[in-house]
Amino acid sequence: MEKKYNPKIIFGIAVVGIVLVINIVWIFSLSEKRVLKADYPYYSEVEDITIAADAIIVGKVIDAEKVQEMNVNTDPQTRNEVDSIPYTVSKFEAIEIVKGDINVGDIIEVKQLGDFKNIPEATLEEIDGYFKLGNLELLFLASYDDGTPYSTLNPTQGAVQVLEDQTLYSASKYSLFGYETKARSVPQTLDDAIEKISQYIK
């Protein structure tokens, strides 16, 4: 005797299955964090990054993790066609000036691409590179004529943390300072780094 299936039961099972699949896809889409990706210049030598920087300072983070939407397109022809994007902005007190038109004691703003919490920049997310309140940083900065905040030359080389004992720390293997310094012939302390940088400032 051939077993008969009730069409209503089959339809009900199909609907439940479809709903489950939709819910699983929705859960997975929520669990994937959105990130921003960008291309940055890479500097192979201390001389290169020193020449490229508009300013090089040692600064203390006095305010951090403020997110602002900015349109950084400077081309008047296309500026209005480009949407604003999120940046995480921190304030620094300049402690020591190595290069540039900044004075000791000045308060400057430095922007980092992405909303650190909701839509971070991929590299900064990977190395936990967003600035934190109270940190001391050696910064290689680019400046802008349009009044927008400074930015580091790139996420992996443009900022190096200065620890309490004045040694340098970076979580990126691309950093020219502070990454596994004992295994490499690179400056290990802030004084060493400034001495090296100063050789290339004219």
Side-chain angles (χ1 to χ4, degrees), residues 36-158:
L36 296 175
K37 294 185 179 179
D39 292 325
Y40 299 94
Y42 168 77
Y43 305 95
S44 58
E45 303 291 340
V46 174
E47 180 179 10
D48 299 332
I49 197 169
T50 300
I51 292 169
D54 295 317
I56 302 171
I57 72 164
V58 179
K60 183 176 182 180
V61 183
I62 60 171
D63 193 16
E65 298 181 340
K66 306 295 183 191
V67 178
Q68 297 178 23
E69 296 282 330
M70 294 185 200
N71 184 340
V72 296
N73 180 12
T74 57
D75 183 352
Q77 300 284 336
T78 59
R79 180 174 174 82
N80 294 331
E81 299 170 12
V82 178
D83 292 334
S84 296
I85 54 176
Y87 283 87
T88 300
V89 180
S90 301
K91 287 184 180 177
F92 282 82
E93 179 184 359
I95 305 298
E96 185 171 353
I97 311 305
V98 185
K99 177 185 177 183
D101 296 326
I102 299 172
N103 298 309
V104 171
D106 283 356
I107 306 300
I108 65 167
E109 289 187 327
V110 179
K111 66 182 183 296
Q112 296 172 290
L113 180 61
D115 174 339
F116 76 100
K117 194 171 185 180
N118 299 311
I119 315 174
E121 193 277 334
T123 301
L124 288 167
E125 169 84 346
E126 181 183 343
I127 65 173
D128 191 23
Y130 284 101
F131 298 125
K132 296 180 175 56
L133 190 65
N135 277 11
L136 196 65
E137 302 275 348
L138 172 62
L139 300 169
F140 297 82
L141 300 171
S143 62
Y144 303 93
D145 295 331
D146 62 357
T148 56
Y150 290 88
S151 62
T152 60
L153 293 182
N154 67 35
T156 58
Q157 298 177 307

Side-chain angles (χ1 to χ4, degrees), residues 127-201:
I127 65 173
D128 191 23
Y130 284 101
F131 298 125
K132 296 180 175 56
L133 190 65
N135 277 11
L136 196 65
E137 302 275 348
L138 172 62
L139 300 169
F140 297 82
L141 300 171
S143 62
Y144 303 93
D145 295 331
D146 62 357
T148 56
Y150 290 88
S151 62
T152 60
L153 293 182
N154 67 35
T156 58
Q157 298 177 307
V160 185
Q161 188 179 354
V162 183
L163 303 179
E164 286 187 13
D165 63 358
Q166 296 297 291
T167 57
L168 302 175
Y169 169 76
S170 173
S172 172
K173 64 183 179 180
Y174 299 107
S175 178
L176 296 169
F177 307 97
Y179 180 80
E180 296 180 355
T181 53
K182 291 180 181 177
R184 299 166 58 194
S185 58
V186 297
Q188 296 187 37
T189 69
L190 177 60
D191 287 344
D192 293 339
I194 291 174
E195 183 179 347
K196 180 79 171 175
I197 292 164
S198 297
Q199 295 175 20
Y200 307 113
I201 297 175

